[in-house]
Amino acid sequence: MKSSTGEHYPALDHVRGLAAFLVFSWHFLHASPEGPVPYDFVPALPLFSVLDEGHTGVSLFMALSGYLFAKLLDGKQINYLPFFANRALRLLPLLLVVICIEACRRYLAGQSLDGYFTGVGLGFFFPPSRMAAGR
């Protein structure tokens, strides 16, 4: 999808790429039940500890987004309905695909989908960590 303003800042692409790499690395390293980067390995190479901190990439994305919003909207008014519609068009299709793939995976594994779809519905209102804690 093209930016709604038509503006692109190629000088920030490397920052966006670094943030994506940090988030991807965190998900990749935490996919195993054995855990993330072995902690006896981290002190030997402290640079690798950044990969174990997924919030670093997310924080970088947030800072970059704030900077771009401020730069693009300086002195302009924002029309909220098209703004949110554009975000929904970018994010909701992939979210629905992931929800459907996980539902199919659970169905084929013989698991009940009632709890899954209840959790997905509650996820729109409560953070997942709060639901897992039973609060």
Side-chain angles (χ1 to χ4, degrees), residues 96-113 116-117:
L96 292 175
V97 166
V98 169
I99 289 171
C100 289
I101 288 172
E102 179 61 14
C104 290
R105 187 195 68 77
R106 288 173 184 247
Y107 177 78
L108 292 174
Q111 298 174 355
S112 171
L113 296 179
Y116 173 68
F117 284 116

Side-chain angles (χ1 to χ4, degrees), residues 7-57:
E7 295 183 47
H8 177 74
Y9 297 96
L12 296 176
D13 285 346
H14 65 286
V15 178
R16 187 179 296 120
L18 175 63
F21 175 73
L22 290 172
V23 172
F24 174 81
S25 297
W26 185 88
H27 284 288
F28 181 76
L29 292 171
H30 288 78
S32 170
E34 287 82 36
V37 178
Y39 286 104
D40 56 342
F41 181 69
V42 172
L45 297 167
L47 183 61
F48 284 114
S49 64
V50 173
L51 301 178
D52 192 33
E53 303 296 331
H55 59 82
T56 308

Side-chain angles (χ1 to χ4, degrees), residues 66-110:
Y67 171 77
L68 288 172
F69 276 127
K71 188 153 181 75
L72 294 172
L73 297 175
D74 186 27
K76 300 176 187 172
Q77 285 192 321
I78 186 169
N79 192 348
Y80 286 101
L81 187 59
F83 172 78
F84 286 121
N86 188 26
R87 293 304 167 271
L89 282 173
R90 287 179 182 221
L91 299 175
L92 289 180
L94 183 59
L95 176 62
L96 292 175
V97 166
V98 169
I99 289 171
C100 289
I101 288 172
E102 179 61 14
C104 290
R105 187 195 68 77
R106 288 173 184 247
Y107 177 78
L108 292 174

